[in-house]
Each structure stands twice: as structure tokens, then as C-alpha cells.
Amino acid sequence: MDKFKCVVCGYIYDPAEGDPSGGIEPGISFNDLPVDYICPVCGAGKDEFNIYE
């Protein structure tokens, strides 16, 4: 599964880790996150993330 990076602050969403602070379990792909998911660091919306290579 792809990692995604917040273009605002640089936070990287790694599906292998999930987002424990946001209640997202490990193994959830970025595309399966809720539409209203926000960056746990800066609060940017899901549309502010790009695939991290």
C-alpha cells in the first residue's frame, strides 16, 4: 500500500502504522480513510495529501 505525504506539514501517512491518534487502525489504505480525515499534525484535509515515493 502506498504512503501519502501532507503537502502542508510533511506528515506521512503510512498504512502499515495507521493513525492511532485519529483512531485509524494499521492496515487501512489512504483511499479507504474517511472523506473528512484530517492530518493529525496540522489539520489539513485529505485533499492536501500526495503519494509519497
Side-chain angles (χ1 to χ4, degrees):
M1 285 188 274
D2 292 324
K3 296 178 184 178
F4 281 74
K5 182 177 181 178
C6 176
V7 298
V8 176
C9 72
Y11 168 80
I12 296 172
Y13 176 78
D14 182 350
E17 297 176 11
D19 176 8
S21 66
I24 307 296
E25 297 284 327
I28 305 294
S29 74
F30 186 81
N31 293 330
D32 290 337
L33 293 174
V35 176
D36 61 350
Y37 176 77
I38 59 169
C39 176
V41 175
C42 71
K46 192 174 174 182
D47 60 334
E48 296 291 334
F49 283 76
N50 291 327
I51 292 179
Y52 178 70
E53 313 225 12

